[in-house]
Amino acid sequence: MSASAAKVSTKKTFLKGKKTEQGPPNKRRKLDRSQLSSGSPARSQDTSTSAFPRGKSTTAIDPELAVDFTTQETKNGESLATLRKMIFGRLEHTSTQTDPGKYLAIDCEMVGVGIDGEESSLARVSIVNYWGAVQLDEFVKQKERVVDYRTKWSGIRPSDMVRAKQFEEVQKTVAALTKDRIIVGHAVHNDLKVLLLSHPGPCIRDTQHLAAKHNVTSSKRPALRNLVKQELDVVIQGGEHSSVTDARATMAVFRLHRKEWEKGFRPLPAPGAGASNKRKRVESSEPSEPTPPGRGRKGVSSGLSTIVKRTPQMKSKTAVKTTSNNWWTTLGASGIAGKGSMKL
């Protein structure tokens, strides 16, 4: 009996010890559940970020809220507040400031066509003048099926194609508007390429090229958003792009450095002056009196007074003078008597 009692007592002590070992983990699990129910810092952080849709960051704030439009600071003779207002379209223009003027800034937005939407197609063109007034803002109708509208960057949606115009019509309008004017753009060769247009080199001001050339930035190909942030302390292209805003930002950067950048270009002649000067030169080169037959310009033979006869045997040139029409009057002048002639 003592042996069986010893076994029972050891079993009870073992069970007691087992209960005591399982106690603390159960209490910790209860504490964990209570913390999860009450809300831990990690849980609150997840709920704060899940309120925003996927693909959008919490820093997507209106860029205009962080811009100082009241500063009195100037740079290279230009008011920073005025240029900032111009970028976001807050300036009121006079009647003269709405005209195209000498300088026009251009920017285009593209959509993706072709296989996987990798090929770019022109979808929107915007042109502003020196003061930021919009001169042209048109959507372009697509001839191919759009695979990717690139809305995240281009800001273009299928609904914008409802009021779009044909490419040929937009191209003709852009060509007429930019004729005899200076085009300002950032990597403007891309814009001209999609428009299938060319422009004289002396009439192009590429802010990307000029900024690198004059050491405004250390990068050889600075992005427009970085250049605008550095020069104007303004954030653009934070979300969907706007070709109007980008064109105004490009013009603002150009206005800051216009005096320095224009030193490398020759002044352009007045519109139509080249054609009029050429016409005057053509008119002055025309002779006032008709040239007599057989006489060309001074110092240049007409080829009528001398005939060059080439003989393959002699390999020499013999000049044969042309005879006049009254050849019979010269028969008696020869010192050699002809056949059947008689001297008196």
Side-chain angles (χ1 to χ4, degrees), residues 40-52:
S40 61
R43 193 61 166 176
S44 61
Q45 185 176 359
D46 294 338
T47 55
S48 62
T49 56
S50 61
F52 294 89

Side-chain angles (χ1 to χ4, degrees), residues 186-248:
H186 195 81
V188 70
H189 60 276
N190 294 326
D191 301 318
L192 295 175
K193 182 179 179 180
V194 295
L195 282 164
L196 301 180
L197 292 175
S198 61
H199 205 68
C203 298
I204 293 178
R205 305 293 184 268
D206 193 332
T207 54
Q208 186 183 62
H209 171 72
L210 293 172
K213 179 180 179 181
H214 293 271
N215 299 321
V216 177
T217 177
S218 58
S219 175
K220 293 183 179 180
R221 294 181 179 179
L224 179 61
R225 61 179 179 274
N226 297 336
L227 197 59
V228 173
K229 177 62 178 176
Q230 173 185 316
E231 298 299 308
L232 295 163
D233 196 19
V234 172
V235 177
I236 62 170
Q237 299 179 351
E240 297 179 4
H241 295 194
S242 169
S243 53
V244 174
T245 302
D246 292 349
R248 286 170 173 166

Side-chain angles (χ1 to χ4, degrees), residues 125-331:
V125 187
S126 300
I127 298 178
V128 301
N129 65 359
Y130 188 80
W131 310 103
V134 178
Q135 305 296 309
L136 177 72
D137 187 23
E138 296 290 351
F139 289 94
V140 182
K141 188 173 293 185
Q142 301 301 304
K143 297 182 179 180
E144 301 182 37
R145 185 178 69 88
V146 179
V147 179
D148 185 5
Y149 280 92
R150 305 175 184 175
T151 307
K152 183 178 179 181
W153 297 278
S154 66
I156 298 175
R157 293 170 171 79
S159 58
D160 297 327
M161 295 294 106
V162 176
R163 51 193 178 97
K165 296 183 178 180
Q166 295 293 338
F167 173 81
E168 292 77 10
E169 182 181 355
V170 176
Q171 182 192 45
K172 187 181 297 185
T173 306
V174 173
L177 184 60
T178 58
K179 184 180 180 181
D180 297 330
R181 291 187 172 92
I182 296 177
I183 292 180
V184 182
H186 195 81
V188 70
H189 60 276
N190 294 326
D191 301 318
L192 295 175
K193 182 179 179 180
V194 295
L195 282 164
L196 301 180
L197 292 175
S198 61
H199 205 68
C203 298
I204 293 178
R205 305 293 184 268
D206 193 332
T207 54
Q208 186 183 62
H209 171 72
L210 293 172
K213 179 180 179 181
H214 293 271
N215 299 321
V216 177
T217 177
S218 58
S219 175
K220 293 183 179 180
R221 294 181 179 179
L224 179 61
R225 61 179 179 274
N226 297 336
L227 197 59
V228 173
K229 177 62 178 176
Q230 173 185 316
E231 298 299 308
L232 295 163
D233 196 19
V234 172
V235 177
I236 62 170
Q237 299 179 351
E240 297 179 4
H241 295 194
S242 169
S243 53
V244 174
T245 302
D246 292 349
R248 286 170 173 166
T250 304
M251 182 61 78
V253 173
F254 174 74
R255 285 178 58 174
L256 277 179
H257 303 278
R258 180 180 62 87
K259 295 180 181 179
E260 181 67 22
W261 290 354
E262 284 293 322
K263 292 180 181 179
F265 296 92
R266 295 181 180 179
L268 298 177
S276 61
N277 292 337
K278 184 177 180 181
R279 192 178 299 110
K280 289 179 181 179
R281 289 196 300 270
V282 173
E283 292 176 355
S284 62
S285 63
E286 294 179 356
S288 57
E289 297 180 358
T291 305
R295 295 179 60 188
R297 292 177 294 172
K298 185 177 180 180
V300 180
S301 174
S302 63
L304 297 178
S305 59
T306 304
I307 300 175
V308 178
K309 185 178 181 181
R310 298 179 182 273
T311 57
Q313 295 85 0
M314 301 300 295
K315 295 183 180 181
S316 62
K317 299 179 181 179
T318 58
V320 180
K321 293 185 178 180
T322 58
T323 58
S324 61
N325 294 331
N326 301 332
W327 55 272
W328 57 87
T329 60
T330 60
L331 292 177

